[in-house]
Amino acid sequence: SSELTQDPAVSVALGQTVRITCQGDSLRTYYATWYQQKPRQAPVLVIYGKNNRPSGIPDRFSGSSSGNTASLTITRAQAEDEADYYCSSRDSGGTLVDVIFGGGTKLTVL
Amino acid sequence: QVTLKESGPVLVKPTETLTLTCTVSGFSFSNVRLGVSWIRQPPGKALEWLAHIFSNDEKSYSTSLESRLTISKDTSKSQVVLTMTNMDPLDTATYYCARMGLETYDYDAFDFWGQGTMVTVSS
């Protein structure tokens, strides 16, 4: 199966913009999905598809993709954005559903 | 509103079989695009997808764990059940159930998650 690679940790100054990346061969074919996970909480969907945000997710969050790399961009970073961020995508397996996750990126807002 | 809630044992012994139940509300399995997955997360580690069941009972499993997993659902009880055989201490993790919704189906994305249930494997 494929793998998704993320930087373990990223930091951003309050109010600035940060890009969190995810690399993997599956991203050449499938869109990345992004989840936010705060300590001791379940993941929350923030971006799916080309650049879709579920209801309630601020428009400061956006997604993009190029080649084998997907990116989650957070503009005007807020203290509450400090969390772990996981990318996922469909794997190239033949099953109906076959999801792989990246290792996660810990975002620190300074 | 859509909710999912996991339940099951907190502690299991090595070699035992784990049975987890996900009770859902706020949606029904009336649309074939709707489905529920089980996903786990060892302490301090990344998420790992385990299995998925669609409204029409079609199932998918992680290739690395397929031999140990069984997913099923009881529509009348709004429950999805996961069994995992031959438990090992490395299976210690928080186990989540999550919904793949009508808008996220095309992207294998999970729009609602349960709170998770921590399972420890130890003798």
Side-chain angles (χ1 to χ4, degrees):
Chain A
S1 64
S2 303
E3 291 185 352
L4 296 177
T5 302
Q6 297 182 243
D7 292 327
V10 171
S11 62
V12 62
L14 186 67
Q16 297 303 302
T17 296
V18 63
R19 178 173 292 182
I20 298 170
T21 61
C22 175
Q23 287 189 304
D25 287 341
S26 62
L27 300 179
R28 297 185 184 279
T29 307
Y30 303 107
Y31 288 115
T33 296
W34 292 94
Y35 299 94
Q36 176 193 69
Q37 186 180 34
K38 296 182 179 180
R40 294 171 297 283
Q41 295 184 21
V44 172
L45 177 66
V46 294
I47 293 288
Y48 66 97
K50 189 174 183 179
N51 184 21
N52 301 309
R53 283 175 290 106
S55 173
I57 301 301
D59 60 6
R60 301 184 291 100
F61 291 83
S62 63
S64 61
S65 183
S66 178
N68 74 335
T69 302
S71 300
L72 173 70
T73 300
I74 307 172
T75 58
R76 304 182 304 279
Q78 304 298 303
E80 61 262 31
D81 299 335
E82 187 163 289
D84 293 330
Y85 290 86
Y86 291 92
C87 63
S88 75
S89 84
R90 183 170 179 78
D91 200 357
S92 52
T95 55
L96 293 171
V97 172
D98 194 2
V99 178
I100 52 174
F101 288 93
T105 296
K106 183 177 182 60
L107 176 66
T108 300
V109 180
L110 304 171
Chain B
Q1 77 276 25
V2 174
T3 65
L4 302 94
K5 187 170 184 179
E6 306 87 350
S7 59
V10 174
L11 180 67
V12 297
K13 291 181 169 55
T15 76
E16 288 186 340
T17 293
L18 171 69
T19 299
L20 295 173
T21 300
C22 175
T23 303
V24 308
S25 65
F27 71 98
S28 67
F29 291 103
S30 57
N31 188 304
V32 69
R33 291 163 65 95
L34 285 175
V36 171
S37 273
W38 284 94
I39 296 152
R40 71 178 179 180
Q41 185 174 36
K45 296 189 176 181
L47 300 163
E48 179 184 20
W49 175 77
L50 301 176
H52 186 84
I53 189 164
F54 288 92
S55 297
N56 63 359
D57 262 356
E58 287 192 279
K59 302 159 189 173
S60 293
Y61 294 99
S62 164
T63 53
S64 62
L65 292 167
E66 182 169 11
S67 63
R68 298 173 54 204
L69 297 173
T70 302
I71 191 169
S72 62
K73 67 177 173 62
D74 185 333
T75 301
S76 65
K77 295 182 179 179
S78 296
Q79 292 181 335
V80 175
V81 175
L82 180 77
T83 62
M84 180 180 289
T85 61
N86 194 24
M87 293 293 284
D88 181 273
L90 290 175
D91 296 315
T92 293
T94 295
Y95 286 76
Y96 296 98
C97 58
R99 189 188 83 159
M100 192 175 290
L102 297 178
E103 294 185 10
T104 60
Y105 166 86
D106 289 328
Y107 310 104
D108 284 10
F110 304 106
D111 57 356
F112 289 93
W113 293 62
Q115 64 191 21
T117 186
M118 177 67 193
V119 178
T120 299
V121 184
S122 175
S123 54

